[in-house]
Amino acid sequence: MGVRMEKPAIAGGTPVRATKLYYGHQFVDKADVKAVEEVLTSDYLTCGPKVVELEKKLCEITGAKYAVAVCNGTAALHIAAMAAGVGAGDELITSPITFAASANCALYCGARPVFADIDPDTYNIDPARVREKITDRTRAVVAVDFTGQAAQLDELLSMCRERGIVLIEDAAHSIGTRYKGKPVGSIADITTFSFHPVKTVTGGEGGAVLTDRADIYEKLLLYRSHGITKDEGDYENESHGPWYHEQIGLGYNYRITDIQCALILSQIDKLGQFARRRREIVQRYDSAFSQMPELSVQREIPESDTTRHLYILRIRPEALTIDRRGFFEAMAAENICCNVHYIPVYWHPYYEKKLGYQKGICPNAEKLYMEMMSLPIYYSLTDQDVDDVIAAVRKIVAYYRVGEGESG
């Protein structure tokens, strides 16, 4: 491990840019604003026609039979796990390199998260490691499309179906991605999306669950809205009149507003251009960084035509006199604000101290965490912005290359 700098700035250097550049940012245009304004002056702010319209649109762009829009991506994962039958005493296998919600959804159901290690080159969950973790208590696998690259869905689906396990694809990063030519959203048993502001498509917040299974769809509808139904075919008692409804299960208030749905619908109209620009940025980064032996870039599997949500730069500490934290701080000194995705879930104090998980169980994931950072990638990045990121990385590598800079 290299030695961290006392100060982030490179001695005597001038930042590559005068203004800060952040790792992610939403793009909202006049069409988006108009779409929201129209809802604000309509009869419905929530539980209205835009919710149904969004669900239909998601089915159209993914090929899924059913979609249920919810308030955020975490809610989507929770009701997906519930609909998969995850309950007390069960196990749910997922990746440690993800936002905590991919594992927390098991805890919400009274189940135990089980972490399977990642492929060290693609950074997605390794199907071979998943197979090793399957037990008689395994009820579901949550495969995370990390950075937007599809997981190895065919292998995971085959494995799950052999054992009667539900495959949930956490596609929070991957709307717009195709796997073997098929849109993400119509492949796994259940797929979840997120519409957080740094995602490719945003509603401010929002999420969705997609499936081809009618039985799962009916459960999702109940879990989204308190377990209450207004469908007379589901009633257990006699109706009292047109106002009548029944709570037939325990659900939650995970409903999404028409305001959010209007924004998401307008954003989806731009998904193609969003995806193209993100691919262009990835190509430019890969072209620059793959030629530098001090760095590694994420390997793409040929099956995934990826719309990238995150761009991961991985440093090789043995080739530099600086560690990841030092590199991160040096980028900030160049006015390039990066992030790190993600701290291995089981490293968080709640998992380590309350639930008893220990470090060392997923060595590939832990090594990746210590060496990676997320560079800026979003639709409105200009070519000059991208050039500035590349210039900053090259400057830092040149200065802290073993045998150069401070040690030279």
Side-chain angles (χ1 to χ4, degrees):
M1 185 63 66
V3 178
R4 187 167 71 85
M5 295 179 294
E6 292 296 323
K7 297 180 181 180
I10 292 175
T14 300
V16 297
R17 55 183 290 128
T19 58
K20 290 187 183 297
L21 189 66
Y22 295 94
Y23 92 92
H25 197 273
Q26 71 273 12
F27 175 81
V28 176
D29 63 12
K30 291 181 179 179
D32 297 330
V33 174
K34 182 180 178 182
V36 172
E37 286 179 343
E38 288 175 353
V39 170
L40 290 172
T41 56
S42 74
D43 293 330
Y44 291 92
L45 295 184
T46 193
C47 299
K50 288 297 178 182
V51 178
V52 176
E53 187 179 342
L54 174 59
E55 291 170 345
K56 289 181 178 178
K57 187 69 171 181
L58 290 170
C59 290
E60 287 174 9
I61 68 169
T62 64
K65 289 183 180 179
Y66 308 105
V68 176
V70 293
C71 55
N72 55 58
T74 298
L77 282 164
H78 183 191
I79 65 171
M82 291 175 68
V86 177
D90 291 332
E91 295 178 343
L92 178 150
I93 300 172
T94 194
S95 169
I97 297 296
T98 185
F99 185 64
S102 307
N104 287 348
C105 65
L107 298 177
Y108 300 154
C109 297
R112 177 177 178 269
V114 174
F115 297 99
D117 209 352
I118 61 166
D119 181 298
D121 298 318
T122 68
Y123 312 155
N124 268 335
I125 197 167
D126 186 339
R129 305 288 81 78
V130 173
R131 187 177 289 276
E132 292 172 355
K133 299 289 184 176
I134 291 174
T135 72
D136 291 340
R137 291 180 291 176
T138 306
R139 184 69 61 191
V141 171
V142 173
V144 179
D145 294 337
F146 180 58
T147 74
Q149 179 177 198
Q152 291 174 278
L153 296 173
D154 280 355
E155 188 171 351
L156 290 166
L157 266 173
S158 176
M159 186 189 313
C160 287
R161 287 173 178 166
E162 285 174 11
R163 303 290 295 269
I165 297 166
V166 177
L167 178 64
I168 301 170
E169 184 179 3
D170 180 349
H173 294 184
S174 60
I175 190 169
T177 292
R178 291 176 173 266
Y179 179 81
K180 292 188 173 180
K182 193 172 183 180
V184 162
S186 59
I187 303 167
D189 297 309
I190 307 174
T191 303
T192 65
F193 286 141
S194 169
F195 304 116
H196 183 275
V198 297
K199 302 300 196 298
T200 302
V201 168
T202 186
E205 274 287 4
V209 191
L210 287 75
T211 186
D212 284 349
R213 287 177 49 178
D215 60 327
I216 286 177
Y217 174 62
E218 295 299 331
K219 292 175 183 177
L220 294 170
L221 291 175
L222 283 174
Y223 297 148
R224 171 178 66 180
S225 189
H226 304 283
I228 290 174
T229 183
K230 295 183 179 181
D231 186 339
E232 291 186 11
D234 293 330
Y235 289 170
E236 297 182 15
N237 299 322
E238 184 178 348
S239 173
H240 302 169
W243 64 87
Y244 189 71
H245 57 269
E246 288 185 349
Q247 182 180 344
I248 60 174
L250 182 61
Y252 300 83
N253 183 2
Y254 283 165
R255 294 172 298 194
I256 190 171
T257 69
D258 277 47
I259 301 167
Q260 293 168 285
C261 290
L263 178 54
I264 297 166
L265 281 161
S266 182
Q267 291 262 302
I268 287 174
D269 287 340
K270 295 180 278 287
L271 179 57
Q273 68 194 66
F274 288 170
R276 284 190 295 274
R277 180 56 180 160
R278 285 172 177 267
R279 290 187 181 109
E280 289 170 1
I281 294 167
V282 169
Q283 289 170 0
R284 295 186 66 186
Y285 281 161
D286 278 355
S287 178
F289 303 141
S290 62
Q291 305 304 314
M292 302 175 70
E294 298 84 4
L295 307 173
S296 295
V297 300
Q298 182 180 8
R299 182 175 70 83
E300 293 274 353
I301 60 173
E303 296 88 346
S304 182
D305 179 9
T306 302
T307 297
R308 193 78 74 85
H309 160 55
L310 297 172
Y311 187 89
I312 302 298
L313 182 70
R314 186 171 188 176
I315 68 169
R316 296 182 183 274
E318 70 278 4
L320 297 166
T321 60
I322 190 174
D323 64 9
R324 189 271 309 278
R325 179 168 178 174
F327 206 115
F328 187 96
E329 292 174 345
M331 289 291 285
E334 301 298 332
N335 281 320
I336 310 294
C337 301
C338 302
N339 208 330
V340 174
H341 299 89
Y342 293 93
I343 300 169
V345 175
Y346 58 83
W347 279 23
H348 288 293
Y350 182 79
Y351 277 80
E352 185 177 15
K353 296 179 181 178
K354 301 289 186 182
L355 301 178
Y357 290 81
Q358 296 182 350
K359 292 180 179 179
I361 59 176
C362 294
N364 292 337
E366 295 179 22
K367 188 174 192 301
L368 173 66
Y369 167 65
M370 296 301 295
E371 298 175 356
M372 69 172 174
M373 69 186 76
S374 302
L375 298 186
I377 181 168
Y378 47 92
Y379 173 73
S380 57
L381 277 183
T382 67
D383 286 348
Q384 184 60 58
D385 292 334
V386 175
D387 288 344
D388 288 346
V389 175
I390 293 170
V393 170
R394 285 175 169 163
K395 178 180 177 181
I396 294 164
V397 168
Y399 189 79
Y400 291 103
R401 184 179 288 127
V402 170
E404 304 288 343
E406 290 182 326
S407 57

